[in-house]
Amino acid sequence: MDSQKLTPEAGEQFRLILDCAPDAILMVDERGNLALVNEQAEKLFGYSREELIARPVEELMPKSIRSLHATLRQGYQERPSKRQMGAAEMKARRKNGERFPVEVTLNPVDTGQGIWIAAGVRDLTERKLAEERLIAERRRAEEGSRTKSAFLAAMSHEIRTPMNSILGMADLLWETELSAEQRQYVEVFRRAGASLLTLIDDILDFSKIESGRLALERVEFDLEELLDQVVELMGPKARSKNLRLLSRLLPGTATSLIGDPTRLRQILINLLGNAVKFTRSGEVLLTVENAHSGGPGEIAFAVSDTGIGIPPDKVETIFDHFTQADNSITREYGGSGLGLAISRRLVESMGGKLTVSSVLGQGSTFTFTAKFDQGRAEARQPPRELEDLHGRRVLILDDNPANCLILREGLRTWGLDARAFERLEDAIEDLSRAIQSGEEYTLVVLDKQMPDSDGFQAADKIWRLAPHLPIVLLSSTAASGDFTRAIKAGFAGYAVKPVKRADLFRLVCQAMKVAPSRPAADPGSSSAVPSTVPHTAGLKLLIVEDSEDNRLLMDRYLKESHHRITFAVDGLRALEEFNNGRFDLILMDLQMPRMDGLTATRTIRKIETEQNLPATPIVALSANARPEDIALSRKLGCNAHLSKPISKARLLAALERYVPNQAPADPAPEPQEAPSAVSPAALDDDALQYLARRRSEIQSLRALLAALDFEKIRIAGHNMKGSGGGYGFPRLTELGAAIESAAKRKDSGSLENRLHDLDSYLTRISRNTSEAAIH
């Protein structure tokens, strides 16, 4: 802006213009005195115009105005072609002494009598008061949110305490002898209690999201394993309604990711749970792939069903909290209406958006993307077992097109040449053609439920053409006796859908390496099932294990064997037993109270050396299987190392090596075993009691966390890590490991989250078991 010349003759006219300005205007001469003011200045400062003229500006504003005045005047003199401006907030003073906030804008003006400063002064009193009110309101809102969250957490605790007692007693009552009517009543208690606990979890999660306190973790995880866990968990619920639950992980999808697997699992369980709930017949399909328009680590998820669908006017409102598509007084489907609201907010926190498309009466598809960082783990590679089987042919027979596609993609990912058929006649025709051409199949993967014949009949027709062709049978139902019948019929493997990818892979490898010995009798004959228990002379065993769960598990594994077992609960007790008698083999847990297994092993070896005794074979048992752990146990005297969770097959194989007349030289690699396809609906009494003990343990763990007793929490987590997989719950092994790790770090926040995950998982397992039991 060009400079302005202000002459005395123009003063009156200029003053009239200044009086029209909404802010106070002060003209300050080179001496720092007021030379001209407008009407607003009189009102703002409480002086008359005559009182203001020639008054030092510092009486109205602090001394800092003088330094600004000098700086601007000097800058203007050095660069007169450029207008210099400045703005600052400061305190001003009225005639009555009251101090108040103002914003001052300064501008140099060449008046012809020197370089003056025009100061525009704006009163900030109202704005500051408004800001203070907003700050106060925000503080009150935050305090209210904290109070609400504290209230909800306290109420959650208060409700959970009696609910745990109610559910625990209901579980104990369930295990007693009841009439059919009484069992039905108890089942209502269990199911209603589990639903109430789920509702409490949803309300707490929603409260955290609303208050902005829900933080996402950043840990590395395997997407394929997570999907398997989710589908395995939802499988019993789908089977109880005769629904097909399918999971399709497209080839090439990034699986090593960094993000929050717990919250991703929660989203998927919510969506799959809704899909199963609102679907009466047909299937639920989970599809996962790299996002088409996203960068590395952005994954797209879709959950489709053949259910009741959503009315067009309800498509968006279902994402509102406490809302369902059917809010009628006679609504058929229960639920809090929080699941989708929580899921959408979680998806948004992961950088994505949850949407739905639906056709009323035909089904719905929920889709979302989530952004993750790429993990450091290398891409999952097929084990060596498939290297010499690359290109072998596999025939898939399944009447469901989606199942055929998923199986074919999975097998081809492992390097197998897979062909899929939906009709038995087409499969038989292709099999016959392959035999004639010399391009025979190596394996058949067969669905048990076929529209024109069941899996047993289909297998019989296949074996008429190819008597020694291995067949793996997959079933959509967990019918009692199917596994035994399948083994008797000569199938090379059996599993209940949905089958985890890792389990299917082991089944395929096992079947392709070992040809089945099929009896000549009909599939329904009563030929004996080959026993997995070795019929050899038994060993005198000392099993040193502090975990009651693991002791019960070992006892269950060996109760039909010829082995004689003595248990010790820690290293000190093990030394007493060792000094009182000789043992053929010692199974030594490494982490125990009072005296750990390494110390006990070192002491035993010292006793043997001092007394010139032969060395007793000692096999280390540990949930830690790192190379350095194994090396340390070997260095201190252990002959071998078994990593927990320990399956029955691995335990029996390890014991077999120490039976007399067999050389216990260098330990052979641990055997691969057939996958466990046990569902929560088919759990045995030992597994059910194990789950009950874990449920009853949660309150004590929370009490330990409140007391900051991290060592006892670490021990409990370590024991769970070592026992969960043995009872058929690999998720408990993972949670145990996470609890142990967080306890070592003394990370209370992470422990609180892990205990919440444990509680939610046990609740879902209990609910799925209960629902399956009454269907």
Side-chain angles (χ1 to χ4, degrees):
M1 177 179 178
D2 295 330
S3 61
Q4 303 176 27
K5 298 288 184 178
L6 184 64
T7 63
E9 294 79 10
E12 185 63 27
Q13 184 178 2
F14 186 58
R15 187 165 48 250
L16 291 174
I17 294 174
L18 293 183
D19 285 343
C20 296
D23 295 332
I25 303 295
L26 310 175
M27 294 294 293
V28 184
D29 62 21
E30 290 187 322
R31 296 189 303 274
N33 298 327
L34 296 174
L36 187 65
V37 298
N38 68 349
E39 186 176 340
Q40 290 298 326
E42 295 180 83
K43 295 178 180 179
L44 181 62
F45 292 99
Y47 293 94
S48 66
R49 194 184 303 264
E50 290 74 17
E51 290 175 310
L52 288 173
I53 298 301
R55 184 179 294 272
V57 69
E58 293 173 355
E59 293 186 13
L60 305 182
M61 284 173 283
K63 294 183 178 180
S64 57
I65 193 72
R66 179 177 290 277
S67 62
L68 291 174
H69 175 273
T71 301
L72 285 172
R73 189 173 67 249
Q74 181 181 354
Y76 182 83
Q77 290 171 340
E78 293 173 355
R79 300 182 63 188
S81 62
K82 184 176 180 180
R83 182 182 180 187
Q84 302 291 321
M85 295 188 66
E89 289 188 13
M90 59 185 67
K91 288 287 187 180
R93 185 170 54 230
R94 304 187 202 276
K95 182 178 180 181
N96 62 7
E98 177 189 354
R99 295 180 67 83
F100 63 101
V102 295
E103 181 182 69
V104 181
T105 302
L106 304 176
N107 195 24
V109 178
D110 188 349
T111 64
Q113 304 175 29
I115 306 302
W116 290 10
I117 297 295
V121 183
R122 177 169 297 176
D123 189 353
L124 297 182
T125 302
E126 288 300 321
R127 193 173 86 183
K128 293 295 183 181
L129 288 175
E131 289 177 357
E132 290 174 2
R133 284 194 295 270
L134 286 174
I135 292 172
E137 288 174 5
R138 186 171 69 240
R139 286 175 179 168
R140 283 195 297 270
E142 290 173 350
E143 182 61 31
S145 178
R146 284 192 294 269
T147 302
K148 180 182 72 173
S149 298
F151 171 76
L152 287 172
M155 289 305 300
S156 168
H157 175 76
E158 293 301 321
I159 294 173
R160 280 176 179 277
T161 300
M163 280 306 304
N164 280 331
S165 299
I166 293 169
L167 289 175
M169 289 301 167
D171 288 340
L172 292 175
L173 188 58
W174 180 266
E175 295 170 5
T176 64
E177 194 170 330
L178 300 171
S179 67
E181 186 178 20
Q182 289 171 331
R183 187 166 290 273
Q184 185 178 11
Y185 294 159
V186 175
E187 182 50 43
V188 172
F189 298 154
R190 300 173 77 193
R191 187 168 60 247
S195 297
L196 179 57
L197 288 179
T198 300
L199 175 60
I200 292 170
D201 289 338
D202 285 346
I203 292 174
L204 284 174
D205 279 344
F206 189 76
S207 174
K208 288 180 181 179
I209 292 172
E210 287 289 285
S211 62
R213 296 190 304 109
L214 187 67
L216 296 181
E217 289 188 334
R218 282 183 46 80
V219 297
E220 188 164 0
F221 68 96
D222 189 291
L223 178 62
E224 183 174 332
E225 291 180 1
L226 184 145
L227 296 177
D228 282 342
Q229 293 166 4
V230 169
V231 173
E232 182 182 37
L233 183 63
M234 299 305 300
K237 202 169 188 178
R239 284 195 295 270
S240 71
K241 298 183 68 175
N242 292 321
L243 300 177
R244 292 183 297 271
L245 178 58
L246 310 173
S247 172
R248 183 186 179 199
L249 178 64
L250 269 65
T253 304
T255 56
S256 179
L257 304 173
I258 297 175
D260 193 329
T262 301
R263 293 304 178 184
L264 176 60
R265 187 183 295 109
Q266 181 179 359
I267 296 168
L268 293 175
I269 287 174
N270 270 337
L271 297 181
L272 288 171
N274 273 353
V276 171
K277 181 198 299 184
F278 294 107
T279 303
R280 295 190 182 97
S281 63
E283 67 184 33
V284 174
L285 172 63
L286 168 62
T287 304
V288 183
E289 60 183 323
N290 292 323
H292 298 303
S293 59
E298 186 168 0
I299 309 297
F301 302 83
V303 175
S304 305
D305 63 62
T306 56
I308 62 175
I310 305 168
D313 60 328
K314 301 287 187 181
V315 166
E316 275 304 312
T317 60
I318 61 171
F319 293 106
D320 296 337
H321 52 277
F322 302 110
T323 300
Q324 284 194 342
D326 177 16
N327 277 324
S328 66
I329 209 167
T330 59
R331 69 178 187 173
E332 178 181 354
Y333 306 96
S336 65
L338 279 175
L340 288 178
I342 292 172
S343 296
R344 171 170 272 192
R345 298 290 286 273
L346 289 176
V347 167
E348 290 171 351
S349 68
M350 294 181 179
K353 184 177 182 182
L354 175 60
T355 60
V356 62
S357 61
S358 183
V359 178
L360 192 62
Q362 297 183 25
S364 307
T365 299
F366 287 82
T367 58
F368 70 94
T369 58
K371 295 179 181 178
F372 304 94
D373 290 333
Q374 289 187 302
R376 294 176 293 276
E378 296 181 359
R380 181 184 293 248
Q381 298 294 328
R384 298 176 185 174
E385 286 89 335
L386 280 186
E387 290 182 1
D388 59 341
L389 299 176
H390 184 82
R392 295 290 184 92
R393 306 185 73 206
V394 179
L395 186 148
I396 301 166
L397 178 55
D398 195 313
D399 64 301
N400 182 265
N403 255 338
C404 285
L405 175 62
I406 292 168
L407 287 170
R408 186 171 66 244
E409 285 181 346
L411 293 173
R412 287 181 175 176
T413 298
W414 300 328
L416 297 167
D417 180 9
R419 299 194 65 186
F421 299 91
E422 298 175 27
R423 297 175 65 249
L424 175 60
E425 290 78 6
D426 295 337
I428 292 293
E429 182 180 343
D430 189 79
L431 177 61
S432 178
R433 188 184 306 114
I435 293 173
Q436 292 174 6
S437 65
E439 298 180 351
E440 298 187 20
Y441 284 99
T442 310
L443 176 69
V444 174
V445 178
L446 176 62
D447 182 31
K448 177 177 176 286
Q449 288 80 24
M450 301 286 291
D452 47 0
S453 64
D454 69 14
F456 293 95
Q457 295 168 337
D460 193 55
K461 292 181 180 180
I462 291 172
W463 276 324
R464 289 175 188 172
L465 284 175
H468 302 293
L469 183 59
I471 301 179
V472 170
L473 185 66
L474 305 181
S475 175
S476 298
T477 61
S480 176
D482 269 0
F483 176 77
T484 301
R485 185 184 174 196
I487 296 300
K488 290 178 179 179
F491 284 95
Y494 173 87
V496 178
K497 300 177 184 176
V499 186
K500 294 196 297 185
R501 293 166 183 81
D503 289 348
L504 178 63
F505 180 77
R506 286 195 291 270
L507 267 179
V508 169
C509 289
Q510 182 186 36
M512 295 176 77
K513 289 194 298 181
V514 181
S517 55
R518 185 168 62 93
D522 291 334
S525 68
S526 59
S527 301
V529 183
S531 174
T532 57
V533 180
H535 296 284
T536 57
L539 298 171
K540 186 179 181 183
L541 302 175
L542 174 60
I543 300 178
V544 190
E545 172 65 68
D546 67 307
S547 167
E548 180 185 1
D549 295 313
N550 281 329
R551 293 198 299 271
L552 289 171
L553 192 63
M554 295 279 194
D555 186 63
R556 185 182 73 166
Y557 284 167
L558 301 175
K559 64 183 178 182
E560 296 179 0
S561 72
H562 298 274
H563 303 304
R564 292 157 293 163
I565 307 171
T566 299
F567 285 107
V569 297
D570 56 39
L572 288 176
R573 184 62 182 164
L575 292 179
E576 292 177 13
E577 296 291 349
F578 177 78
N579 287 324
N580 290 334
R582 296 292 299 157
F583 293 92
D584 298 315
L585 177 66
I586 299 174
L587 300 178
M588 181 74 74
D589 184 30
L590 297 186
Q591 294 193 28
M592 295 179 293
R594 298 212 302 168
M595 179 183 286
D596 62 68
L598 292 176
T599 304
T601 298
R602 188 168 56 241
T603 305
I604 288 173
R605 294 301 184 224
K606 182 179 179 182
I607 293 172
E608 290 172 337
T609 301
E610 292 174 348
Q611 300 182 15
N612 197 25
L613 298 173
T616 304
I618 301 177
V619 175
L621 308 178
S622 175
N624 297 324
R626 298 172 301 175
E628 54 266 35
D629 297 317
I630 297 174
L632 180 60
S633 66
R634 289 292 190 87
K635 180 180 178 181
L636 295 179
C638 294
N639 299 79
H641 188 286
L642 274 178
S643 58
K644 300 177 183 178
I646 302 168
S647 67
K648 183 176 182 179
R650 288 173 55 220
L651 177 62
L652 292 175
L655 297 183
E656 190 77 355
R657 296 181 54 257
Y658 295 95
V659 172
N661 301 324
Q662 297 195 35
D666 292 334
E670 293 182 358
Q672 296 291 326
E673 57 195 287
S676 170
V678 177
S679 69
L683 297 178
D684 58 24
D685 289 341
D686 289 329
L688 289 172
Q689 291 173 14
Y690 176 77
L691 289 175
R693 288 194 296 274
R694 297 291 73 74
R695 284 195 296 272
S696 65
E697 190 176 46
I698 290 176
Q699 282 302 107
S700 62
L701 286 173
R702 287 201 169 102
L704 290 172
L705 179 57
L708 300 180
D709 193 338
F710 296 108
E711 178 57 21
K712 288 184 179 178
I713 298 175
R714 184 197 65 77
I715 293 172
H718 179 79
N719 289 337
M720 191 187 306
K721 178 175 72 172
S723 61
Y727 282 92
F729 304 104
R731 176 62 179 152
L732 290 182
T733 292
E734 295 176 7
L735 288 171
I739 290 171
E740 179 186 26
S741 175
K744 286 180 179 177
R745 302 193 308 270
K746 298 184 178 181
D747 187 342
S748 298
S750 181
L751 278 172
E752 183 179 353
N753 291 334
R754 297 293 76 80
L755 292 180
H756 173 79
D757 295 341
L758 175 62
D759 198 358
S760 299
Y761 175 74
L762 291 173
T763 298
R764 289 192 295 269
I765 283 288
S766 176
R767 184 169 63 249
N768 289 339
T769 303
S770 301
E771 290 176 353
I774 64 173
H775 281 277

